[in-house]
Amino acid sequence: MKFSPRVSSITPSSTLAITAKAKSLKAEGYDVIGLGAGEPDFNTPVHIIEAAYQSMTAGHTKYTPAGGMEALKQAISNKFKSDQGLSYGLTEIVVTSGAKHALALLFQTILNEDEEVIIPSPYWVSYPEQVKIAGGKPVVVEGQEENNFKLTPEQLEEAITENTKAMILNSPSNPTGVMYTKDELQALGNVCIRHNILIVSDEIYEKLIYDGAKHTSVAELSDELKEQTVIINGVSKSHSMTGWRIGYAAGNENIVKAMSTLASHTTSNPAVMAQYGAVAAYNDGHKSVEEMRRSFEARLDEVYESLINIPGFSCVKPQGAFYLFPNVKEAVVASIYETTDDWVAALLEKEKVAVVPGSGFGSPDNIRLSYATSLDQFKEALERIKRFVKNSTR
Ligand code: PMP
Ligand code: GLU
């Protein structure tokens, strides 16, 4: 059967694929260390689980409005106000089945055939595919490692054409962990305002930041920029709720309304018990988030130094999220393998360490390691990688 051009043009998510592969090898009895997964290794805080359970026993097991229930939108609105000083009314918020779904609905809402979305690389694997599914055209602009992979206003200006509809900002970034400063955001925002380009600000790692870094949303910088921005966020990473599938978008009322309409004909509402869990997550004052954040910060400090000491590895130090994205070009060139993808496949086969190749993130000289795993496991993985580098030298 001939499939639609929408699916024929896309590739499976490499992050989910590597995670699934590591899990299946483990199930076969192999001693696999999975550094592929982009999910915290903690269980969801127990008060969130209890709130979801109690909502079900109280009979809240039915449909909610497709764009999410009022209590959750209110909790999200309160969070925007208290954490970021941003005012979003309930009609400016749509709750979705994970942040991924919010992005998918957004691109389907705003993109006309062949309209372009500027995506700075390295990018999260799903952005270009989601743009393509929506009939748009991803325009990748390569972030330079010397500039901590950050997009510059000049690069942005150069990439803009008459078909540019939107650009994506992801700070802290998956996969690099890099964060934009207020001034950098202002400069990029100015370009977007001048050319009337919508900013898609993916802030899913907002709470996982280290070394005293401060998260700023481009929407905080002025009313004009707020109007020009749709914020994407969710509880998956902040509250270790990846499997619950609760995300959201906040922005212009008409965009948000159209996204809810799309949801009403596709998924309907996100799972109701998960919505009750998310209400509890946002009404707890972020206590549980802070505990997890500290634990990631402690791990990062320990593992970063060991990683950059591996021969042929160099790495920009992340300020947020829970990934390391070293450049391994020298190690690959010195090895018996042709490409980073081959090198990554051999690492899994020979040493049973799963990492994600940078090619899926638009950066084929890098690999992504998630340190959302126990410190002992991570250290053991680094030992195995060192051994692999040594044994695979030409
Ligand atoms: N944006 C980024 C940058 C991500 O890394 C992820 C990964 N989960 C998402 C969005 C999607 O999050 P969710 O699991 O809530 O769909
Ligand atoms: N976002 C996470 C990652 O980058 C989870 C997997 C996915 O949804 O892509 O690994």
Side-chain angles (χ1 to χ4, degrees):
M1 185 196 291
K2 189 165 179 261
F3 286 166
S4 78
R6 286 180 302 286
V7 291
S8 310
S9 71
I10 58 168
T11 50
S13 161
S14 55
T15 46
L16 293 181
I18 198 89
T19 308
K21 177 110 197 257
K23 280 186 182 159
S24 90
L25 281 172
K26 236 182 224 171
E28 282 173 41
Y30 291 103
D31 170 25
V32 177
I33 304 182
L35 305 181
E39 56 184 347
D41 53 325
F42 307 101
N43 195 6
T44 303
V46 72
H47 73 279
I48 297 175
I49 295 173
E50 261 161 20
Y53 177 73
Q54 274 166 21
S55 76
M56 286 187 275
T57 53
H60 299 298
T61 53
K62 303 294 195 301
Y63 293 132
T64 74
M69 60 190 204
E70 221 167 83
L72 178 52
K73 288 189 186 178
Q74 190 59 60
I76 293 167
S77 172
N78 296 347
K79 179 220 168 267
F80 270 124
K81 190 83 203 155
S82 59
D83 288 11
Q84 296 175 278
L86 287 166
S87 294
Y88 286 105
L90 302 201
T91 54
E92 296 171 306
I93 296 169
V94 53
V95 182
T96 54
S97 300
K100 191 182 271 183
H101 185 219
L103 286 158
L105 290 176
L106 176 61
F107 294 129
Q108 285 173 51
T109 296
I110 61 167
L111 292 178
N112 293 280
E113 209 58 36
D114 288 334
E115 280 184 336
E116 296 169 1
V117 179
I118 295 175
I119 306 176
S121 79
Y123 47 72
W124 177 48
V125 292
S126 290
Y127 296 145
E129 310 310 90
Q130 290 196 333
V131 168
K132 286 192 258 172
I133 293 167
K137 206 173 137 203
V139 174
V140 173
V141 181
E142 210 178 308
Q144 300 303 314
E145 199 155 344
E146 308 76 70
N147 190 37
N148 282 352
F149 297 111
K150 292 186 200 182
L151 179 74
T152 65
E154 294 76 27
Q155 283 181 303
L156 176 59
E157 190 90 49
E158 217 169 277
I160 292 171
T161 71
E162 57 185 14
N163 286 332
T164 309
K165 189 65 166 271
M167 67 143 327
I168 301 179
L169 274 175
N170 175 215
S171 175
S173 148
N174 174 7
T176 64
V178 160
M179 292 174 72
Y180 284 84
T181 65
K182 215 169 159 176
D183 288 349
E184 288 162 347
L185 291 171
Q186 184 69 59
L188 293 169
N190 291 345
V191 179
C192 291
I193 291 205
R194 202 167 337 113
H195 294 275
N196 192 23
I197 290 167
L198 187 79
I199 304 170
V200 179
S201 182
D202 182 344
E203 303 179 12
I204 190 111
Y205 296 99
E206 168 215 355
K207 292 286 170 216
L208 301 176
I209 57 179
Y210 318 116
D211 282 342
K214 190 180 162 340
H215 169 81
T216 305
S217 168
V218 67
E220 291 169 37
L221 300 180
S222 68
D223 288 347
E224 214 180 358
L225 274 169
K226 178 171 176 258
E227 190 50 36
Q228 198 80 20
T229 301
V230 175
I231 295 182
I232 305 291
N233 205 335
V235 290
S236 296
K237 316 288 171 168
S238 57
H239 293 78
S240 198
M241 292 174 71
T242 47
W244 296 63
R245 312 309 303 134
I246 296 291
Y248 53 89
N252 175 283
E253 197 173 18
N254 294 327
I255 296 180
V256 159
K257 195 170 160 199
M259 290 169 67
S260 304
T261 305
L262 264 179
S264 78
H265 287 298
T266 50
T267 51
S268 297
N269 60 275
V272 58
M273 56 292 287
Q275 291 191 64
Y276 276 95
V279 171
Y282 273 166
N283 287 343
D284 83 344
H286 305 316
K287 205 171 131 267
S288 46
V289 176
E290 180 53 18
E291 278 165 27
M292 289 190 268
R293 190 200 67 77
R294 274 194 209 164
S295 160
F296 287 132
E297 183 165 44
R299 289 182 206 176
L300 170 61
D301 283 344
E302 268 211 66
V303 297
Y304 177 73
E305 290 302 321
S306 321
L307 182 86
I308 55 174
N309 283 328
I310 298 177
F313 278 44
S314 65
C315 189
V316 170
K317 183 151 190 210
Q319 294 170 284
F322 36 62
Y323 308 108
L324 292 160
F325 197 60
N327 183 315
V328 297
K329 188 173 178 182
E330 278 182 30
V332 174
V333 168
S335 78
I336 52 175
Y337 303 104
E338 284 295 311
T339 64
T340 314
D341 284 14
D342 295 343
W343 189 95
V344 164
L347 175 66
L348 181 57
E349 192 197 311
K350 295 196 183 310
E351 291 290 350
K352 303 289 177 287
V353 176
V355 302
V356 192
S359 48
F361 303 91
S363 207
D365 291 337
N366 297 65
I367 59 172
R368 192 190 76 176
L369 300 83
S370 158
Y371 55 91
T373 186
S374 80
L375 202 48
D376 284 349
Q377 284 270 290
F378 200 95
K379 285 183 181 162
E380 165 65 19
L382 289 185
E383 287 311 312
R384 293 188 193 185
I385 293 174
K386 271 187 210 157
R387 190 165 58 208
F388 175 72
V389 168
K390 196 164 154 235
N391 292 344
S392 62
T393 305
R394 268 181 217 276

